[in-house]
């Protein structure tokens, strides 16, 4: 870098390239690729410091001083930044303007220790005007924001490292607890508990078609003889009524329907018309964007944030981590201008709309999420530069922003009440219809809705004919309709984000990673969009509620967030607050005191849930199961009954538990005898899936149930010494096969694998077809080729196999196209692509390949994530070749020197040299000695016997 240039450090390589183009040759823009250092691992702490920092990498006795280290994968990045710093006359720290970004800037400052002036550069969108304006309006580093982020990091380390081990020992190894994660898990579990305790109630009503002036419309019975009919909202969660209403039985409802049909007409008793208005929604915050992306685009919170990150870094939207709903003056004008251009002058009100966040901790310095620039680009104008998900999310953000400045929608709701004589009873029906007289903002956007409870009670909107009081209308097709009350719907990612925000727990920018952790730890699974808690989550939450009640109390967790905000505003001292949290104070019990005084924890009770008087759900090493006691013999060992993995906790009712208990026990089904070795072939359903197995012929101690084909073992006598028996031959069933339908012939074909296809005429190597973990494939020595179907294992010929081997291993057979393409990697300079390989999707720059971890989808991979994955892989170095063992380490005493002189090699050869004659003489002497020993032993034995 030439003298006099300014060094600009950003977080993201994508930002780096965009900003470099806006700033020109007087600047060098480099990326830190996120954080360059973090709290040290225990192994990275020097021996002299282990006593103070060893447990948490935090000295809790000396102002909670953290021990930071530069991560291994960032040493090259730091070296590059130091190189650039040597010839810079000024440093601009241009990381994001939030706590995390401020902390990254501080860590850069602490690590690089620049001797030139340092300024903080901030911006909320990556456009030429915004970047050039940011260069001219720098500020100092905000140490209060740094303190808040550091406090959060220390808090999370103390919380997680003190609480998580309790979960390992009492529930299951590998679990974790976290400030926001645990509260979110508790919410999901509490909702499931409510569903489990819910008692459904039944109620009936009548629906009928009415017709007037040649137009028909649907009506619903609401009152009988003046008494209000029951609706779902009239029942509580125990199935009891909350107020006095009329509850029709099925017979009563059917009788009323028949009577209305018989009457054939009704009279209009009331017509009400009420005008109304609807106002547009505020522009997106991080939270509302995640919710809408989930509702409308079926994106997870994590996926939505990844797509938004790409849009921001490419310069299409403003910063996507914000809890502010405010728009700049330029953005308001851009939205109004676009609304007028698209929908006419009446589309916007006379005065611009101004929004203010309801959250007291909202950071108003940020704008809401909106299209970037002073003039918004329409979705069609940017489509060519975006992938599918980016287009969909940009369209959502653009519509929401434009609609936020548009006029109110105006409508009129008309409700018609009809009276019919139903065999002497006065039956009142109603029908409603809404007509929009002015759509306003609805021309551009309407917000999605979460699933609502008892939604079956809501009448469908419809067009109604013009009728007046006293008019007679026809009534027909009356039908009795039965309904059942419904429990609260499970949380979706969108509704959980909303609930966390409403409780003030966590930050919207962290919700995506929090929900991801909850799922990755096995605390919840997704069924469609719903988050279903696992029994593991029940055990974890039960332990936390009993022994760490404060830590997962919603108000306490929200108060922690308020305190972190106070630290960020400079109103709270970091050290004093941490000391109160950890050691306790007059107002709270410290974490250390709670952990040190846990007392005895009954792990068995924690992992148990009573389902019936005799059946208890337990969570064990391999998952949930039912432990069923014998009421006739309480002292007997309980019976174990497996619980299906896809059975949600609220579905394990007493009736379902009894059904599982009463189900016949599935044993090994005998398929027949292998004619080659006379062994019995059975099919089993094992822990890792169905398989067939060869067993020894049925002995006298075994019998076969002729009805089911099941092998029944009789008690065997214990032998004094158990001989090690060879393992029986097994083979997994193919995906197209099932335990119920597989026959003996198919089982024998599976057991015969791998199948020899033939020998390669050129090399003579044997080619085999077999089934593997990743599907069917051919193998020739160490070279393999995937097969397109399982049937090919048994059908492929030698000629077809040779044809496959003649083609390139990773091409030619099918078109190879990247799932995603990014810009060039900053290290290799080559384009980064996400591809779908034999072992699943992976990231590559043509030189380094990295498999995408399980649980993460290609859609969630951003350019930054891809760069980091490649950097991590390079840091690990080359892997050992598959199929080759690493060389065994020799004992130090026998290890030869790296280099030996000629003299030492000669001496060693002379010392070790032994001639054939000397060897023969040595063997002869040894033989004579052995013969003499045998003779002496024989003489001694003869003497003793005489």
């Amino acid at each position: 870098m030439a003298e006099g240039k300014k060094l600009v450090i950003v977080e993201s390589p994508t930002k780096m390239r965009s900003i470099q183009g806006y700033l020109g040759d007087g600047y060098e823009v480099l990326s830190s690729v996120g954080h360059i250092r973090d709290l040290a691992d225990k192994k990275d702490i020097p021996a002299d410091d282990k006593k103070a920092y060893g447990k948490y990498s935090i000295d809790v006795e000396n102002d909670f001083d953290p021990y930071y280290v530069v991560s291994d994968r960032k040493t090259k990045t730091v070296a590059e930044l130091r190189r650039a710093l040597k010839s810079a006359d000024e440093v601009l720290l241009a990381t994001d303007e939030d706590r995390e970004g401020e902390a990254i800037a501080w860590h850069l400052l602490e690590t690089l220790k620049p001797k030139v002036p340092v300024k903080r550069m901030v911006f909320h969108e990556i456009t030429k005007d915004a970047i050039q304006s940011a260069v001219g309006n720098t500020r100092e580093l905000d140490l209060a924001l740094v303190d808040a982020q550091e406090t959060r990091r220390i808090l999370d380390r103390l919380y997680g490292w003190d609480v998580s081990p309790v979960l390992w020992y009492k529930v299951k190894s590998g679990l974790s607890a976290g400030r926001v994660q645990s509260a979110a898990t508790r919410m999901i579990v509490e909702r499931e508990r409510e569903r489990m305790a819910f008692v459904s109630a039944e109620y009936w009503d009548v629906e009928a078609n009415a017709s007037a002036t040649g137009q028909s419309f649907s009506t619903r019975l609401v009152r009988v003889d003046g008494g209000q009919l029951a609706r779902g909202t009239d029942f509580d969660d125990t199935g009891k009524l909350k107020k006095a209403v009329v509850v029709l039985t099925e017979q009563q409802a059917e009788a009323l329907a028949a009577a209305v049909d018989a009457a054939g007409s009704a009279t209009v008793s009331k017509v009400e018309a009420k005008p109304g208005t609807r106002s547009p929604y505020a522009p997106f915050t991080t939270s509302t964007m995640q919710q809408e992306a989930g509702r409308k685009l079926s994106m997870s919170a994590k996926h939505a944030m990844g797509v938004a990150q790409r849009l921001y870094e490419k310069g299409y939207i403003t910063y996507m981590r914000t809890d502010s709903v405010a728009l700049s003056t330029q953005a308001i004008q851009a939205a109004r201008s676009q609304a007028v251009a698209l929908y006419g002058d009446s589309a916007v009100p006379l005065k611009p709309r101004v929004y203010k966040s309801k959250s007291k901790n909202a950071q108003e310095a940020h704008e809401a999420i909106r299209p970037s620039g002073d003039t918004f680009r329409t979705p069609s104008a940017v489509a060519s530069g975006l992938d599918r998900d980016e287009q969909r999310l940009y369209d959502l953000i653009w519509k929401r922003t434009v609609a936020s400045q548009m006029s109110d929608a105006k409508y009129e709701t008309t409700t018609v009440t009809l009276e019919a004589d139903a065999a002497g009873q006065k039956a009142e029906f109603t029908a409603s219809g809404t007509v929009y007289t002015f759509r306003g903002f609805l021309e551009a956007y309407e917000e999605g809705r979460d699933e609502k409870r008892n939604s079956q009670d809501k009448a469908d909107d419809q067009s109604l004919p013009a009728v007046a009081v006293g008019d007679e209308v026809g009534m027909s097709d009356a039908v009795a309709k039965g309904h059942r009350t419904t429990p609260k719907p499970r949380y979706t990612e969108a509704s959980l984000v909303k609930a966390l925000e409403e409780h003030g727990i966590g930050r919207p920018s962290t919700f995506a990673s929090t929900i991801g952790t909850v799922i990755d730890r096995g605390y919840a699974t997704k069924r469609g969009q719903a988050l279903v808690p696992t029994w593991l989550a029940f055990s974890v939450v039960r332990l936390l509620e009993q022994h760490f009640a404060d830590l997962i109390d919603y108000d306490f967790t929200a108060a922690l967030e308020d305190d972190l905000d106070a630290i960020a505003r400079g109103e709270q001292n970091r050290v004093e607050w941490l000391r109160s949290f950890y050691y306790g104070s007059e107002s709270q019990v410290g974490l250390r005191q709670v952990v040190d005084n846990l007392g005895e924890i009954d792990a068995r009770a924690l992992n148990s849930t009573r389902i019936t008087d005799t059946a208890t759900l337990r969570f064990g090493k391999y998952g949930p199961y039912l432990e069923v006691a014998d009421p006739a013999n309480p002292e007997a060992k309980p019976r174990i009954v497996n619980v299906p993995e896809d059975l949600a906790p609220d579905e394990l009712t007493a009736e379902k538990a009894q059904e599982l208990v009463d189900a016949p026990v599935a044993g090994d089904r005998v398929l027949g005898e292998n004619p080659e070795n006379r062994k019995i072939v059975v099919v089993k359903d094992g822990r890792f899936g169905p398989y067939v197995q060869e067993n020894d012929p049925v002995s006298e101690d075994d019998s076969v149930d002729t009805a089911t084909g099941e092998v029944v073992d009789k008690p065997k006598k214990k032998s004094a010494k158990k001989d090690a028996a060879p393992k029986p031959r097994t083979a997994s069933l193919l995906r197209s096969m099932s335990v119920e339908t597989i026959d003996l012939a198919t089982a024998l074909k599976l057991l015969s694998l791998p199948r020899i296809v033939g020998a390669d005429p050129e090399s003579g190597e044997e080619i085999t077809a077999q089934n593997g973990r990743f599907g069917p494939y051919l193998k020739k020595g160490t070279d393999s080729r995937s097969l397109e179907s399982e049937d090919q294992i048994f059908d492929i010929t030698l000629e077809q196999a040779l044809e496959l081997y003649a083609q390139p291993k990773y091409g030619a057979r099918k078109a190879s196209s990247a799932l995603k393409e990014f810009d060039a990697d900053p290290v290799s300079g080559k384009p980064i692509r996400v591809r779908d390989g034999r072992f699943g999707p992976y990231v590559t720059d043509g030189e380094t390949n990295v498999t995408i971890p399980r649980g993460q989808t290609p859609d969630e991979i951003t350019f930054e994530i891809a760069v980091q994955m490649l950097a991590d892989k390079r840091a690990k170095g080359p892997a050992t070749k598959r199929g080759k063992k690493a060389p065994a380490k020799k004992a130090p005493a026998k290890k030869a020197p790296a280099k030996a002189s000629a003299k030492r090699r000669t001496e060693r050869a002379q010392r070790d040299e032994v001639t054939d004659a000397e060897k023969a003489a040595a063997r002869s002497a040894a033989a004579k000695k052995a013969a003499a020993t045998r003779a002496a032993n024989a003489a001694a034995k003869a003497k003793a016997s005489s």
Side-chain angles (χ1 to χ4, degrees), residues 158-169 172 175-178 548:
L158 296 174
Y159 188 122
W161 285 31
D162 267 351
V163 180
S164 296
V166 182
L167 301 180
W168 304 343
Y169 299 136
K172 185 182 179 183
L175 301 182
S176 68
F548 299 94

Side-chain angles (χ1 to χ4, degrees), residues 154 238 249 278 411 417 423 425 433 545 571 593 726 841 923 943:
I154 292 172
T238 65
T249 64
R278 286 179 61 188
Y411 62 89
T417 304
Q425 293 180 290
E545 286 175 336
E571 300 168 3
Q593 289 179 288
R923 285 196 296 271
K943 184 178 180 181

Side-chain angles (χ1 to χ4, degrees), residues 13 32-33 71-77 825-828 832 843-845 848-850 863-877:
S32 69
V33 195
S71 60
D72 292 340
R73 63 177 182 271
K74 291 301 177 69
T75 52
K76 187 173 182 179
T77 301
D825 180 78
V827 176
S828 68
I832 299 176
V843 174
T844 181
D845 64 349
T848 305
N849 299 337
V850 192
F863 176 73
E864 289 64 41
I865 294 174
V867 168
Q868 191 62 61
M869 290 172 68
L870 292 170
D872 292 346
K873 182 66 177 290
R874 292 189 195 100
K876 291 180 180 178

Side-chain angles (χ1 to χ4, degrees), residues 469-485:
V469 174
D471 286 354
E472 186 173 297
V473 299
M475 298 290 283
S476 61
D477 301 325
V479 60
K481 287 287 184 77
H483 308 278
R484 297 200 72 85
T485 55

